[in-house]
Amino acid sequence: MLDKNCVFCRIVRGELPSGKVYEDDKMVVFKDLEPKAKVHLLAVPKDHFKLLEEADSERAQTLAHMLLKIPEIAKSNGCKNGYRLIVNQGDDANQTVHHLHIHILGGEKLPE
Ligand code: AMP
Ligand code: ZN
């Protein structure tokens, strides 16, 4: 399901430009507009949902697929020496885009 008002759905559909570095049938990965590290990518499922608790078995398979792909995508985009994954969930975590996404941060030594 896509949400016509969602910025990440619009990127998935190609309606908004993005610095896309990877795409397959289940996910896209693009550069964060306001990078918080030398490398800052967002891995986004093509299916629109906000929270992990909304995942059914098909979405769980997509999430597993994303986690299995992220190591090679991170490495080939400059995370040679490790990286950090962040998934903000809901208001207390300041989730601003209500389409689940995995932040990939690296390319330098990150703060502890
Ligand atoms: P979160 O706080 O986890 O919801 O993070 C949302 C992230 O999306 C932020 O780091 C934003 O900089 C990023 N972002 C918002 N709009 C865009 C966009 N059009 N292209 C790339 N990154 C975006
Ligand atoms: Zn969306």
Side-chain angles (χ1 to χ4, degrees):
M1 263 289 246
L2 293 170
D3 175 336
K4 65 178 170 21
N5 299 313
C6 167
V7 64
F8 288 176
C9 283
R10 297 189 67 203
I11 288 174
V12 165
R13 285 197 296 256
E15 291 173 9
L16 277 183
S18 73
K20 202 187 293 176
V21 301
Y22 178 81
E23 179 169 15
D24 63 28
D25 58 325
K26 293 187 171 63
M27 68 191 284
V28 293
V29 183
F30 51 87
K31 294 180 181 167
D32 196 291
L33 261 190
E34 293 176 37
K36 312 289 189 303
K38 205 164 166 190
V39 176
H40 188 171
L41 303 173
L42 298 170
V44 175
K46 288 191 167 178
D47 186 17
H48 176 96
F49 60 105
K50 177 183 175 186
L51 298 170
L52 288 168
E53 68 205 48
E54 296 170 60
D56 55 14
S57 62
E58 194 179 340
R59 286 172 174 168
Q61 275 184 30
T62 297
L63 292 167
H65 171 77
M66 291 170 71
L67 289 175
L68 291 171
K69 283 284 176 195
I70 280 172
E72 73 188 61
I73 296 166
K75 256 188 209 138
S76 62
N77 283 280
C79 299
K80 307 289 183 205
N81 213 17
Y83 51 90
R84 178 174 292 159
L85 302 182
I86 295 175
V87 184
N88 290 320
Q89 293 283 277
D91 290 345
D92 281 0
N94 300 308
Q95 182 179 5
T96 58
V97 177
H98 294 176
H99 183 136
L100 191 132
H101 49 281
I102 303 174
H103 294 260
I104 305 167
L105 296 151
E108 61 184 328
K109 186 80 174 168
L110 299 170
E112 283 182 18

